[in-house]
Amino acid sequence: MQVELAKTAGFCFGVRRAVETVYQEVKKNKEGKIYTYGPIIHNDEVIRDLEEQGVTVLNSQEELENLTEGTVVIRSHGVPEAVCRILDDKGICYVDATCPFVKKIHRIVKEESENGSHIIIIGNGSHPEVVGIRGWAKGPVDVIQNAEEAAEFTLEKKSRKVCVVSQTTFNYNKFQELVEIITKKGYDIIVLNTICNATKERQEEAGGIASRAGAMIVIGDKKSSNTQKLFEICSNACENTYYIQTLGDLNVNQLRSVESVGITAGASTPNKIIEEVQNYVRINF
Ligand code: SF4
């Protein structure tokens, strides 16, 4: 059996950095309590492991405001500036594990809005990353997700400066399409493509492997949207594509009749799980 593991399978740079930060804080603060503001990652296995080591997830701003002690780790998605202010005002120690690529967007949005630009974020307004980016603007902000919203966007003054940024995981072609619609409106516009390549590279590699594999295994949490997307791409390229969360979900009978297996994993899948699946397939088939 030939097994091809995607080089881009698993944690991207920003997620790895955030997860490692929490484990480092657990090691450093043997006495103090560690919190993450929101789950550090969309993966039940990792969250459970961290819980066992005493890490608590804060699920709302209210829970954050009620804190009186401990250290809070901010996840890779980032948070609005107001959240940092709450922690500063309360004197709660925090470690900012916002991905540097997201942090760069915070800086752009802050500076451009301070200089009078109207900010447009191309992305999903309810996604935590976009909520965070929005929270660094010092003036008006719009979030645009589709062509209808782009077409509807208007400002009273044509001369108004407009700065467009993107959610890091937004599709590049869709971004271009929406930017084109907005550009035609004739505003004084600057467009900054802030899409991160990690997602695109993972998707392209997965699609390529799936197209030459007899069966394809996609590993990731069922709630992870980027793993769902990977599964969709791989299913289109290989009809024997299987979505598993852990090795326990693998149905061995499904792999018996194929000669090659491809393996990829979503951005929130720990290496340990990928290794387990890879080793199992290599040894048993
Ligand atoms: S996908 Fe890119 S921007 Fe998002 S956390 Fe990973 S490395 Fe950072």
Side-chain angles (χ1 to χ4, degrees):
M1 165 85 76
Q2 236 190 322
V3 179
E4 188 175 3
L5 172 68
K7 291 187 194 70
T8 52
F11 290 0
C12 63
F13 152 75
V15 168
R16 183 177 303 116
R17 188 172 165 271
V19 172
E20 282 173 3
T21 301
V22 184
Y23 281 103
Q24 279 161 12
E25 288 304 313
V26 170
K27 247 197 215 159
K28 268 200 278 177
N29 293 278
K30 289 267 183 272
E31 305 299 317
K33 191 102 187 68
I34 306 295
Y35 300 89
T36 63
Y37 187 44
I40 196 78
I41 186 174
H42 287 297
N43 188 284
D44 289 345
E45 310 287 316
V46 177
I47 300 297
R48 216 172 300 131
D49 184 50
L50 286 170
E51 267 169 14
E52 280 165 15
Q53 304 205 33
V55 177
T56 304
V57 178
L58 301 170
N59 287 307
S60 65
Q61 191 162 317
E62 202 188 340
E63 285 183 15
L64 184 85
E65 281 165 359
N66 288 335
L67 269 194
T68 51
E69 44 72 58
T71 300
V72 177
V73 180
I74 292 172
R75 58 187 175 172
S76 57
H77 292 320
V79 291
E81 192 178 14
V83 169
C84 302
R85 223 174 300 127
I86 292 171
L87 290 163
D88 284 335
D89 291 349
K90 290 179 70 73
I92 299 271
C93 176
Y94 65 96
V95 183
D96 189 355
T98 304
C99 175
F101 297 128
V102 177
K103 206 69 217 156
K104 181 178 151 198
I105 310 177
H106 293 176
R107 275 196 299 275
I108 294 169
V109 162
K110 188 172 181 209
E111 282 168 24
E112 289 295 329
S113 59
E114 274 170 353
N115 289 335
S117 288
H118 185 109
I119 304 293
I120 295 180
I121 307 164
I122 305 282
N124 171 357
S126 57
H127 190 283
E129 181 192 308
V130 175
V131 173
I133 294 170
R134 187 175 197 140
W136 287 84
K138 302 290 163 196
V141 190
D142 275 283
V143 178
I144 291 179
Q145 188 171 13
N146 54 42
E148 293 77 53
E149 288 171 5
E152 274 167 18
F153 176 77
T154 48
L155 289 177
E156 272 177 27
K157 277 197 211 149
K158 275 270 182 232
S159 59
R160 184 82 198 256
K161 284 195 292 182
V162 173
C163 170
V164 183
V165 293
S166 174
Q167 182 178 345
T168 54
T169 47
F170 206 78
N171 176 281
Y172 177 72
N173 293 337
K174 194 88 191 288
F175 174 75
Q176 287 290 87
E177 181 202 334
L178 302 187
V179 163
E180 218 169 280
I181 298 171
I182 301 162
T183 306
K184 281 191 187 135
K185 294 173 188 279
Y187 301 117
D188 177 6
I189 188 168
I190 58 160
V191 178
L192 296 149
N193 172 3
T194 51
I195 294 171
C196 168
N197 280 336
T199 309
K200 191 168 164 253
E201 282 165 9
R202 187 182 301 104
Q203 291 175 352
E204 283 175 359
E205 191 191 16
I209 293 176
S211 67
R212 49 184 184 265
M216 187 75 192
I217 301 170
V218 180
I219 317 166
D221 199 277
K222 292 279 184 218
K223 292 193 293 291
S224 153
S225 59
N226 79 82
T227 313
Q228 289 164 10
K229 184 78 195 164
L230 272 184
F231 176 67
E232 187 191 315
I233 292 167
C234 293
S235 300
N236 287 337
C238 172
E239 58 180 10
N240 300 319
T241 295
Y242 306 105
Y243 192 153
I244 62 170
Q245 295 204 125
T246 64
L247 179 59
D249 301 328
L250 190 67
N251 180 345
V252 289
N253 293 326
Q254 289 165 330
L255 304 182
R256 296 232 182 270
S257 57
V258 297
E259 284 177 3
S260 63
V261 170
I263 301 173
T264 189
S268 45
T269 309
N271 242 345
K272 194 173 126 241
I273 298 179
I274 303 171
E275 285 294 310
E276 272 171 11
V277 173
Q278 184 193 196
N279 290 339
Y280 184 87
V281 175
R282 283 191 198 279
I283 293 166
N284 290 286
F285 294 95

